[in-house]
Amino acid sequence: MSKYHLLWEYVKKNGGQSFKLTFEEIYNIVGIPIDHSFLKYKKELTEYGYEVGKISMKEQTVIFHKLV
């Protein structure tokens, strides 16, 4: 199981077309901080009907988009 499985489940249950989570919110969901490996794991999200949009290091946010 992926270390971001809890995040992917959260994103799937959110149901929004597009939404933003902060790094802190993601930490609260998953229990681990976002690190460089997130770039490798983000492709798993398509199995849940979403994709990772913009990752802002300055704002410390990640935007998620629902796949059509």
Side-chain angles (χ1 to χ4, degrees):
M1 183 184 312
S2 168
K3 69 181 187 175
Y4 290 105
H5 173 75
L6 292 175
L7 176 60
W8 305 153
E9 286 292 328
Y10 177 89
V11 169
K12 182 179 177 182
K13 289 176 185 172
N14 178 278
Q17 284 294 339
S18 181
F19 63 98
K20 184 187 297 187
L21 292 174
T22 65
F23 287 9
E24 184 176 349
E25 289 171 320
I26 292 170
Y27 176 81
N28 289 336
I29 294 165
V30 184
I32 56 172
I34 288 268
D35 60 20
H36 191 70
S37 73
F38 184 76
L39 298 173
K40 180 180 97 177
Y41 285 100
K42 72 179 188 173
K43 64 184 175 218
E44 297 173 345
L45 186 55
T46 59
E47 298 172 25
Y48 295 82
Y50 282 83
E51 67 182 356
V52 174
K54 182 178 180 183
I55 301 170
S56 173
M57 298 305 288
K58 182 178 178 182
E59 296 177 15
Q60 295 202 340
T61 58
V62 179
I63 296 177
F64 299 92
H65 301 288
K66 190 170 192 172
L67 297 173
V68 182

